[in-house]
């Protein structure tokens, strides 16, 4: 790309300090004030300049310098799309079976069987099913290479209003059964600047296993990362992408940061590396001889700050616990594992359901809508108990089957040994039976910040 193109006007850019951009091309720099970078490098905007074509930025190593605006792309938030007509990876025959009875205008969208990155629009017309190839190129979708769309929603909306060359306009969708809370498009990750090149990612040792994927320690362009590799593309890809999509909207020092995704035969979700592992294991392995009261209040405040950020965005975690908080090498605690529809297949009898961390109203209803910021606050109270008991399992003397009954009858755990009275008071407020009586994370954060300032 010739350098004289930086003379184009980029006054429309509204980048702010802290915004993240990704390199579109290699930039070697023309002076000692410039910041060289490679295609795919992640940079953070430090400030603008009097020239709208140039910004001061910082790289992953902390070096700062000038970068040309048209050599980088600001990362865009990937949002969930309400696409009940999208059925993912099903066969041509399965699609035709679903399109019954064959009324004209009945339709669905599936992944293309012959072109892995493309889609197929299946439409009923006069008792037959027509299959239209939706191609993806240059971050756009098209059926006829004449009309182009940014995503599937735009395409379906267009052909719902006008057949525009199809056999018929789209009239009624065949909706996918199950969890239809939203679908994420791989194309949105690509156009949003979140897809990274697999050759820039070196996978190392296995450090964790989960329902959806195994986690490896690795390096992305020399930066230590954690890489979660999807186990089953057919079963878990949307849940994986939903988690990643949510992470694109979150930028907070106490939330685990998304680096990007590798899209190919499988999906790899790459995040910052948290060298000290999960908070619960850190608490158990170090114990009272290593972890100080100052460490404990730091962990509590860091976690609350993350939850305050989620609460401010109207987001609910649903599985807050010390096992889902990670500790950075510098001692910062960061909340992780948000975004997955964790309880889609859970029941109270399932070993996977975190009964001891779940609010009473959520245990009673066991449905997604019963999980709120107030139920997260109940879980935060349990997490505080974990921190101040150095990672003990909650309700240590009560059989799991009896926990719900005891809670409903008003039982609350006693303060862990050595727990400050102010912290135990916060636990009890979090464990109010009526969710409306529980504090907000913002209210608790203010109290924890005050306590942190006087803890030595």
């Amino acid at each position: 790309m010739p350098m004289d193109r930086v003379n184009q006007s980029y006054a429309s850019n509204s980048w702010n300090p802290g915004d993240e951009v990704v390199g579109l091309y290699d930039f070697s720099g023309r002076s000692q004030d410039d910041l060289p970078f490679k295609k795919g490098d992640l940079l953070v905007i430090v400030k603008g300049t009097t020239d709208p074509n140039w910004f001061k930025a910082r790289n992953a190593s902390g070096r700062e310098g000038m970068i040309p605006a048209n050599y980088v792309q600001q990362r865009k938030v990937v949002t969930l799309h309400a696409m009940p007509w999208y059925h993912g990876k099903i066969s041509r025959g399965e699609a035709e079976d679903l399109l019954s009875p064959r009324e004209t205008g009945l339709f669905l969208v599936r992944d293309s069987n012959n072109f892995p990155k493309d889609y197929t629009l299946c439409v009923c017309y006069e008792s037959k099913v027509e299959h239209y190839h939706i191609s993806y190129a240059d971050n756009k979708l098209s059926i006829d290479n004449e009309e182009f769309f940014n995503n599937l929603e735009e395409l379906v909306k267009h052909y719902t209003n006008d057949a525009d060359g199809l056999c018929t306009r789209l009239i009624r969708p065949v909706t996918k059964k199950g969890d239809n809370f939203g679908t994420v498009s791989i194309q949105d990750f690509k156009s949003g600047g979140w897809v990274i090149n697999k050759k820039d990612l070196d996978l190392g040792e296995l450090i964790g296993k989960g329902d959806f994927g195994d986690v490896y320690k690795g390096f992305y362009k020399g930066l230590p990362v954690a890489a979660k590799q999807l186990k089953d593309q057919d079963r878990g890809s949307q849940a994986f992408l939903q988690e990643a999509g949510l992470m694109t909207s979150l930028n907070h020092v106490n939330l685990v940061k998304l680096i990007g995704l590798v899209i190919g035969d499988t999906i790899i979700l790459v995040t910052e590396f948290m060298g000290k592992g999960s908070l619960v294991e850190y608490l158990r392995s170090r114990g009272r001889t290593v972890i100080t009261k100052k460490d404990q209040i730091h962990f509590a405040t860091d976690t609350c700050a993350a939850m305050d950020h989620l609460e401010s965005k109207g987001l609910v975690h649903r599985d807050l616990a010390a096992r889902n908080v990670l500790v950075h090498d510098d001692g910062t605690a960061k909340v992780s594992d948000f975004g997955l529809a964790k309880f889609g297949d859970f029941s109270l009898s399932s070993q996977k359901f975190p009964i001891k961390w779940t609010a009473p109203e959520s245990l009673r209803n066991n449905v997604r809508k019963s999980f709120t910021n107030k139920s997260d606050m109940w879980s935060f109270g349990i997490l505080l108990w974990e921190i101040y008991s150095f990672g003990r399992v909650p309700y240590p003397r009560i059989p799991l089957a009896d926990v719900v009954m005891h809670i409903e009858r008003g039982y609350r755990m006693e303060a862990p040994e050595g727990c400050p009275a102010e912290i135990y008071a916060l636990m009890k407020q979090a464990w109010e039976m009526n969710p409306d009586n529980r504090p907000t994370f913002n209210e608790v954060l203010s109290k924890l910040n005050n306590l942190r300032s006087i803890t030595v």
Side-chain angles (χ1 to χ4, degrees), residues 90-122:
I90 62 173
S91 68
R92 182 188 182 102
E94 287 172 324
E96 293 186 350
D97 288 342
L98 289 169
L99 291 164
S100 179
R102 299 281 172 79
E103 58 185 68
T104 294
L106 190 67
F107 74 96
L108 61 83
V109 177
R110 60 180 172 87
D111 292 343
S112 172
N113 294 325
N114 298 322
F115 303 91
K117 297 179 181 179
D118 294 349
Y119 301 96
T120 301
L121 172 63
C122 308

Coordinates of all heavy atoms in Angstrom, one line a residue, residues 90-122:
I90 N -26.7 -27.8 8.8 CA -27.6 -29.0 8.5 C -27.5 -29.3 7.0 O -27.0 -28.5 6.2 CB -29.1 -28.6 8.8 CG1 -29.6 -27.5 8.0 CG2 -29.3 -28.3 10.3 CD1 -31.1 -27.2 8.2
S91 N -27.9 -30.5 6.7 CA -27.7 -31.0 5.3 C -28.9 -30.4 4.4 O -29.9 -29.9 4.9 CB -27.7 -32.5 5.2 OG -29.0 -33.0 5.6
R92 N -28.7 -30.6 3.1 CA -29.7 -30.2 2.1 C -31.0 -31.0 2.4 O -32.1 -30.4 2.4 CB -29.2 -30.5 0.7 CG -30.2 -30.1 -0.4 CD -29.6 -30.6 -1.7 NE -30.5 -30.2 -2.8 CZ -30.2 -29.2 -3.7 NH1 -29.1 -28.5 -3.5 NH2 -31.1 -29.0 -4.7
G93 N -30.8 -32.3 2.7 CA -32.0 -33.1 2.9 C -32.7 -32.7 4.2 O -34.0 -32.7 4.3
E94 N -32.0 -32.4 5.3 CA -32.6 -32.0 6.5 C -33.3 -30.7 6.3 O -34.4 -30.5 6.9 CB -31.5 -31.8 7.6 CG -30.9 -33.1 8.1 CD -29.7 -32.9 9.0 OE1 -28.9 -32.0 8.8 OE2 -29.6 -33.7 10.0
A95 N -32.8 -29.8 5.5 CA -33.4 -28.5 5.3 C -34.8 -28.7 4.6 O -35.8 -28.1 4.9 CB -32.5 -27.6 4.4
E96 N -34.8 -29.6 3.6 CA -36.0 -29.9 2.8 C -37.0 -30.6 3.7 O -38.2 -30.3 3.5 CB -35.7 -30.7 1.6 CG -34.8 -30.0 0.6 CD -34.6 -30.8 -0.7 OE1 -34.9 -32.0 -0.7 OE2 -34.1 -30.2 -1.7
D97 N -36.6 -31.4 4.7 CA -37.6 -32.0 5.6 C -38.2 -31.0 6.5 O -39.4 -31.1 6.8 CB -36.8 -33.1 6.5 CG -36.5 -34.3 5.7 OD1 -37.0 -34.5 4.6 OD2 -35.6 -35.1 6.2
L98 N -37.4 -30.0 6.9 CA -37.9 -28.9 7.7 C -38.9 -28.0 7.0 O -39.8 -27.4 7.6 CB -36.8 -28.1 8.3 CG -35.9 -28.7 9.4 CD1 -34.7 -27.9 9.6 CD2 -36.7 -29.0 10.7
L99 N -38.7 -27.9 5.7 CA -39.6 -27.0 4.9 C -40.8 -27.7 4.5 O -41.1 -28.1 3.3 CB -38.8 -26.5 3.7 CG -37.7 -25.5 4.0 CD1 -36.7 -25.3 2.9 CD2 -38.3 -24.1 4.4
S100 N -41.7 -28.0 5.5 CA -42.9 -28.8 5.2 C -44.0 -28.3 6.1 O -43.7 -28.0 7.3 CB -42.6 -30.3 5.4 OG -43.8 -31.0 5.2
P101 N -45.2 -28.1 5.6 CA -45.6 -28.3 4.2 C -45.1 -27.3 3.3 O -44.8 -26.2 3.7 CB -47.2 -28.2 4.3 CG -47.4 -27.4 5.5 CD -46.3 -27.7 6.5
R102 N -44.9 -27.6 2.0 CA -44.2 -26.8 1.0 C -45.1 -25.6 0.6 O -45.5 -25.5 -0.6 CB -43.8 -27.6 -0.2 CG -42.9 -28.8 0.2 CD -41.5 -28.3 0.3 NE -40.6 -29.4 0.8 CZ -40.1 -30.3 0.1 NH1 -40.4 -30.4 -1.2 NH2 -39.3 -31.2 0.7
E103 N -45.3 -24.7 1.5 CA -46.0 -23.5 1.1 C -45.1 -22.4 0.5 O -43.9 -22.2 1.0 CB -46.8 -22.9 2.3 CG -45.9 -22.5 3.4 CD -46.7 -22.0 4.7 OE1 -47.4 -22.9 5.3 OE2 -46.6 -20.9 5.0
T104 N -45.5 -21.8 -0.6 CA -44.6 -20.8 -1.2 C -44.2 -19.7 -0.3 O -45.0 -19.1 0.5 CB -45.4 -20.2 -2.4 OG1 -45.6 -21.2 -3.4 CG2 -44.6 -19.0 -3.0
G105 N -42.9 -19.4 -0.2 CA -42.4 -18.3 0.6 C -41.8 -18.8 2.0 O -41.2 -18.1 2.7
L106 N -42.1 -20.1 2.3 CA -41.5 -20.7 3.5 C -40.0 -20.8 3.3 O -39.5 -21.3 2.2 CB -42.1 -22.1 3.7 CG -41.8 -22.7 5.1 CD1 -42.4 -22.0 6.2 CD2 -42.3 -24.2 5.1
F107 N -39.2 -20.4 4.3 CA -37.7 -20.4 4.1 C -36.9 -20.6 5.3 O -37.4 -20.6 6.4 CB -37.3 -19.0 3.5 CG -37.3 -17.9 4.5 CD1 -36.1 -17.5 5.1 CD2 -38.5 -17.2 4.8 CE1 -36.1 -16.5 6.0 CE2 -38.5 -16.2 5.7 CZ -37.3 -15.8 6.3
L108 N -35.6 -20.9 5.1 CA -34.6 -21.0 6.2 C -33.3 -20.7 5.6 O -33.1 -20.8 4.3 CB -34.7 -22.3 6.9 CG -34.4 -23.6 6.2 CD1 -32.9 -23.9 6.0 CD2 -35.0 -24.8 6.9
V109 N -32.3 -20.5 6.4 CA -30.9 -20.3 6.0 C -30.1 -21.3 6.7 O -30.3 -21.6 7.9 CB -30.4 -18.9 6.3 CG1 -28.9 -18.7 5.9 CG2 -31.3 -17.8 5.6
R110 N -29.1 -21.9 6.0 CA -28.2 -22.9 6.6 C -26.8 -22.6 6.1 O -26.6 -21.8 5.2 CB -28.6 -24.3 6.2 CG -28.6 -24.6 4.7 CD -29.0 -26.0 4.3 NE -29.2 -26.2 2.9 CZ -28.3 -26.6 2.0 NH1 -27.0 -26.7 2.5 NH2 -28.5 -26.7 0.8
D111 N -25.8 -23.3 6.7 CA -24.5 -23.2 6.3 C -24.4 -23.9 5.0 O -25.0 -25.0 4.8 CB -23.5 -23.8 7.3 CG -23.4 -23.0 8.6 OD1 -23.8 -21.8 8.5 OD2 -22.9 -23.5 9.6
S112 N -23.5 -23.4 4.1 CA -23.3 -24.1 2.8 C -22.5 -25.4 3.0 O -21.5 -25.4 3.8 CB -22.5 -23.2 1.8 OG -22.2 -23.9 0.7
N113 N -22.9 -26.5 2.4 CA -22.2 -27.7 2.5 C -21.0 -27.8 1.6 O -20.0 -28.4 1.9 CB -23.1 -28.9 2.1 CG -24.3 -29.1 3.1 OD1 -24.1 -28.9 4.3 ND2 -25.4 -29.5 2.6
N114 N -21.0 -27.1 0.5 CA -19.9 -27.1 -0.5 C -18.9 -26.0 -0.3 O -17.8 -26.1 -0.8 CB -20.5 -27.1 -1.9 CG -21.4 -28.3 -2.2 OD1 -21.1 -29.4 -1.8 ND2 -22.5 -28.0 -3.0
F115 N -19.3 -24.9 0.3 CA -18.5 -23.7 0.5 C -18.5 -23.4 2.0 O -19.4 -22.7 2.5 CB -19.0 -22.5 -0.4 CG -19.1 -22.8 -1.8 CD1 -20.2 -23.3 -2.4 CD2 -18.0 -22.7 -2.7 CE1 -20.3 -23.6 -3.7 CE2 -18.0 -23.0 -4.0 CZ -19.2 -23.4 -4.5
P116 N -17.5 -23.8 2.7 CA -17.5 -23.8 4.2 C -17.8 -22.4 4.8 O -18.4 -22.3 5.8 CB -16.1 -24.3 4.6 CG -15.7 -25.1 3.4 CD -16.3 -24.5 2.2
K117 N -17.4 -21.3 4.1 CA -17.6 -20.0 4.7 C -18.8 -19.3 4.2 O -19.1 -18.2 4.6 CB -16.3 -19.1 4.4 CG -15.1 -19.7 5.0 CD -13.9 -18.8 4.7 CE -12.6 -19.4 5.3 NZ -11.4 -18.5 5.0
D118 N -19.6 -20.0 3.3 CA -20.8 -19.4 2.7 C -22.0 -20.0 3.4 O -22.0 -20.8 4.3 CB -20.8 -19.6 1.2 CG -19.6 -18.9 0.5 OD1 -19.0 -18.0 1.2 OD2 -19.4 -19.1 -0.6
Y119 N -23.2 -19.5 2.8 CA -24.5 -19.9 3.3 C -25.4 -20.4 2.2 O -25.1 -20.2 1.0 CB -25.2 -18.8 4.1 CG -24.4 -18.3 5.3 CD1 -23.6 -17.1 5.1 CD2 -24.5 -18.9 6.5 CE1 -22.9 -16.6 6.2 CE2 -23.8 -18.4 7.6 CZ -23.0 -17.3 7.4 OH -22.3 -16.8 8.5
T120 N -26.5 -21.0 2.5 CA -27.5 -21.3 1.5 C -28.9 -20.9 2.0 O -29.3 -21.2 3.1 CB -27.5 -22.9 1.3 OG1 -26.2 -23.3 0.8 CG2 -28.6 -23.2 0.2
L121 N -29.6 -20.2 1.1 CA -31.0 -19.8 1.4 C -31.9 -20.8 0.7 O -31.8 -21.1 -0.5 CB -31.3 -18.4 0.8 CG -32.7 -18.0 0.8 CD1 -33.2 -17.8 2.3 CD2 -32.9 -16.6 0.1
C122 N -32.7 -21.5 1.5 CA -33.6 -22.5 1.1 C -35.1 -22.0 1.1 O -35.6 -21.6 2.2 CB -33.5 -23.8 1.9 SG -31.8 -24.3 2.2

